[in-house]
Amino acid sequence: MSENADSTGTAAHAARSSTAAGAATARPEWTPVSRPSTHELVIDAIEEQIMSGTLTVGDPLPAERELASKLGVSRASVREALRVLESLGVIRSSGGSGRGAGTFIASLPSEALTRVLRLHVALANFSVGEVIETRVQLERSSAALASARVTEDALAQLNASLAIMDTPGISLEVFNDADTAFHVAIAQATGNQLFSDLTGAIRNSLRRPILAAFRDVDDPAALMAALQKQHHAIRDAIAAGDGARAAQLTEEHIHTAAEALPALTDL
Amino acid sequence: MSENADSTGTAAHAARSSTAAGAATARPEWTPVSRPSTHELVIDAIEEQIMSGTLTVGDPLPAERELASKLGVSRASVREALRVLESLGVIRSSGGSGRGAGTFIASLPSEALTRVLRLHVALANFSVGEVIETRVQLERSSAALASARVTEDALAQLNASLAIMDTPGISLEVFNDADTAFHVAIAQATGNQLFSDLTGAIRNSLRRPILAAFRDVDDPAALMAALQKQHHAIRDAIAAGDGARAAQLTEEHIHTAAEALPALTDL
DNA sequence: ACATCTATGAGGTCAGACCATTAATCTGAG
DNA sequence: CTCAGATTAATGGTCTGACCTCATAGATGT
């Protein structure tokens, strides 16, 4: 990366704007020189190759030792950089020798998104209320778009998840996971991978709080039945291609769940 | 984390559903035992403290050497884990001694989200078309919600960004960054941090492609002027509290930009 | 031709050293 | 007694070099 400490760009430019507006004064602006750590430089070096298209999915990276000597840094720094990229779902490493051994450019964004959201939800940087509001908006869009694009295959996916939840005597965990799968399947039906990854990440970030809140419910089976009834209605609306209705039902569905789990929002 | 290799949950359950549906056969299902690496275990240990609420924002972590000996692993493994958490915006480290030195739980989710999206857009795991579609839906919601909740302060933010873009003879980069700031400010006006972080991350992930595509435009100044006119209209709709109109204008605005930059979508 | 064994090369882990930075503490001059 | 300056200790940052495990490619033997 040429522009270091880019900090999402926004903040830096907001600050810059104040000097532009205030103009006149033109004080020297001594910003403390940032000294990027070695592993950041390694990340930037690899990121640059990716940005410029030199490295694409499936390509191998040089061996750690080789990369270290090429970049003139220690193997430890290279490894720290690789672990970061790995956590971002950008690379995949495996041991052994020959075919398939080594480090490769991968594409596993959903796990990375899930982890980021899960941790920050737990840290209350994002409140459960915010996350639910985002989920409502995202899944409204998913439902509407899915209604216009749904295929046989996608419907089969929806029905598979519904079938699991229709099974009597199912455990809370299994129900919840099938529930997640149902909503992700709707997002997948839009054909937009980013939608479905975001949906999965958001939903999974709430997994633990949801399961915890469910234990405070008087009649879990009744709630599950109610939700499941709504699931069927959503499926029907999507299958009928009625996007507006699907969106509306989805919003009501999520609100039903949120209101039935009061322990969730005052977390 | 109790559940290892959680893999977003979804995939595992989809697979499980097929066996549940197919039933009868009941083949053994030999899933290769996952061997989590040491640094993953360290991450899980720290994550567990966060999930259980033992560690919250601002709390210090033990020193690297101490943590290593407590967990019975090498300092290198601890450092790899810390680098991952740092890249996820969950911790912040600084050297030295005494107050403020050491590693602390932090809260910088937006940078992490930006990096994830930026890299995966570059890797074409998310196509530009997908990202733009997501952006349309997200910002439609932002505009609608913002219209209902906008404050004096938020309007001032919007006007500040507009003022920058109204400045004549502005460079492409400055315009684009102010443009980003404008849209993020709308998201911020919803009061939903997740909205605004996602908006910023998505927009920043497109920064490089947008700037590149802009260079193929015949009359950049005219395009900027057209976009800026739309910006003003959006601002007015939000200020007037007309959510539906704001959403509609936002969608048209993004489509205008996308169509004026054909190089963007066939990237 | 096939099955086995071995060498190789990759990531994974570790122990220990040294450096740079920072705050707290000590020391001595005024 | 006060305050400037030197010292020290704690912390993250980096490097070195070693050893381990593992999976394959290729050699070896039958």
Side-chain angles (χ1 to χ4, degrees):
Chain A
M1 294 286 302
S2 48
E3 18 148 44
N4 232 311
D6 118 308
S7 79
T8 316
T10 342
H13 306 118
R16 195 177 303 160
S17 84
S18 75
T19 47
T25 65
R27 286 208 283 107
E29 282 274 345
W30 287 107
T31 143
V33 54
S34 71
R35 189 135 22 126
S37 52
T38 307
H39 76 267
E40 285 284 350
L41 297 176
V42 177
I43 292 176
D44 289 349
I46 297 173
E47 192 170 331
E48 180 52 39
Q49 303 294 310
I50 292 175
M51 289 297 172
S52 68
T54 310
L55 281 176
T56 61
V57 175
D59 288 352
L61 256 61
E64 293 179 357
R65 294 168 174 81
E66 188 184 344
L67 198 49
S69 85
K70 273 183 181 168
L71 297 177
V73 300
S74 76
R75 197 181 153 208
S77 294
V78 168
R79 281 185 60 81
E80 288 180 12
L82 293 183
R83 291 290 78 75
V84 168
L85 261 8
E86 186 176 57
S87 82
L88 263 35
V90 169
I91 64 173
R92 165 186 61 79
S93 291
S94 35
S97 155
R99 176 205 76 84
T103 304
F104 297 84
I105 304 292
S107 85
L108 312 156
S110 86
E111 287 180 38
L113 285 172
T114 298
R115 189 169 230 169
V116 174
L117 288 186
R118 173 160 37 101
L119 280 165
H120 286 290
V121 167
L123 285 172
N125 294 332
F126 299 130
S127 76
V128 172
E130 282 178 335
V131 177
I132 289 179
E133 179 172 85
T134 307
R135 198 188 146 201
V136 167
Q137 300 299 331
L138 195 63
E139 297 205 16
R140 272 189 64 99
S141 302
S142 284
L145 293 175
S147 298
R149 302 175 186 171
V150 67
T151 64
E152 281 302 318
D153 226 37
L155 266 183
Q157 282 282 330
L158 292 183
N159 288 331
S161 300
L162 285 179
I164 297 177
M165 289 185 280
D166 275 329
T167 309
I170 212 170
S171 83
L172 203 58
E173 280 80 5
V174 173
F175 181 87
N176 183 64
D177 291 342
D179 190 341
T180 299
F182 176 76
H183 288 278
V184 171
I186 292 175
Q188 241 153 7
T190 65
N192 187 322
Q193 189 65 37
L194 180 51
F195 260 59
S196 96
D197 283 353
L198 279 177
T199 301
I202 287 180
R203 180 57 194 253
N204 277 106
S205 72
L206 293 175
R207 185 176 195 269
R208 193 155 162 161
I210 284 178
L211 289 178
F214 232 110
R215 271 191 286 278
D216 293 342
V217 168
D218 285 336
D219 188 349
L223 177 53
M224 285 196 274
L227 294 175
Q228 177 66 345
K229 192 176 167 190
Q230 294 179 317
H231 286 153
H232 276 103
I234 292 171
R235 192 269 320 267
D236 293 342
I238 291 176
D242 189 344
R245 180 169 169 74
Q248 184 58 26
L249 288 174
T250 300
E251 174 161 4
E252 287 168 11
H253 169 59
I254 298 176
H255 283 143
T256 299
E259 281 155 24
L261 300 173
L264 201 56
T265 40
D266 44 66
L267 207 67
Chain B
M1 292 281 302
S2 47
E3 17 147 45
N4 232 311
D6 117 307
S7 80
T8 316
T10 342
H13 305 118
R16 195 176 303 161
S17 84
S18 72
T19 46
T25 64
R27 286 209 283 105
E29 282 275 347
W30 288 108
T31 145
V33 55
S34 71
R35 194 140 13 122
S37 51
T38 306
H39 77 268
E40 285 285 351
L41 298 175
V42 176
I43 292 175
D44 289 349
I46 297 173
E47 191 169 331
E48 180 53 37
Q49 303 293 310
I50 291 174
M51 289 296 171
S52 69
T54 311
L55 281 177
T56 60
V57 175
D59 288 353
L61 256 62
E64 294 180 356
R65 294 167 175 82
E66 188 184 346
L67 198 49
S69 84
K70 272 183 182 170
L71 296 177
V73 300
S74 76
R75 200 184 150 205
S77 295
V78 169
R79 281 186 58 80
E80 288 180 12
L82 293 183
R83 291 290 78 74
V84 168
L85 261 8
E86 185 178 72
S87 82
L88 264 36
V90 168
I91 64 173
R92 163 186 63 79
S93 291
S94 33
S97 149
R99 179 204 77 82
T103 303
F104 296 85
I105 305 292
S107 86
L108 312 156
S110 83
E111 287 181 38
L113 284 173
T114 298
R115 190 170 228 169
V116 174
L117 289 186
R118 175 162 34 104
L119 279 165
H120 286 290
V121 167
L123 286 172
N125 295 331
F126 299 130
S127 75
V128 172
E130 282 179 335
V131 177
I132 289 179
E133 180 173 82
T134 307
R135 198 188 146 201
V136 167
Q137 299 299 331
L138 195 64
E139 297 205 16
R140 272 190 64 100
S141 302
S142 283
L145 292 175
S147 298
R149 302 175 186 171
V150 67
T151 65
E152 280 303 316
D153 227 39
L155 266 183
Q157 282 283 330
L158 291 183
N159 288 330
S161 299
L162 285 178
I164 296 177
M165 290 186 279
D166 275 329
T167 309
I170 212 169
S171 83
L172 203 59
E173 280 80 4
V174 173
F175 181 88
N176 183 64
D177 291 342
D179 190 342
T180 298
F182 176 75
H183 288 279
V184 170
I186 292 176
Q188 242 153 6
T190 66
N192 187 323
Q193 188 66 36
L194 181 51
F195 260 59
S196 94
D197 282 355
L198 280 176
T199 301
I202 287 180
R203 181 57 197 252
N204 276 105
S205 73
L206 293 176
R207 185 175 195 269
R208 193 154 162 159
I210 284 178
L211 289 178
F214 232 110
R215 271 192 285 279
D216 293 342
V217 169
D218 285 336
D219 189 348
L223 177 52
M224 286 196 272
L227 294 175
Q228 178 65 345
K229 191 175 168 189
Q230 295 180 317
H231 285 153
H232 276 103
I234 293 171
R235 191 269 319 269
D236 292 342
I238 291 176
D242 189 345
R245 179 169 168 74
Q248 183 59 25
L249 288 174
T250 300
E251 174 161 2
E252 287 168 10
H253 170 60
I254 298 177
H255 282 144
T256 299
E259 281 155 23
L261 299 173
L264 202 56
T265 40
D266 45 66
L267 207 66

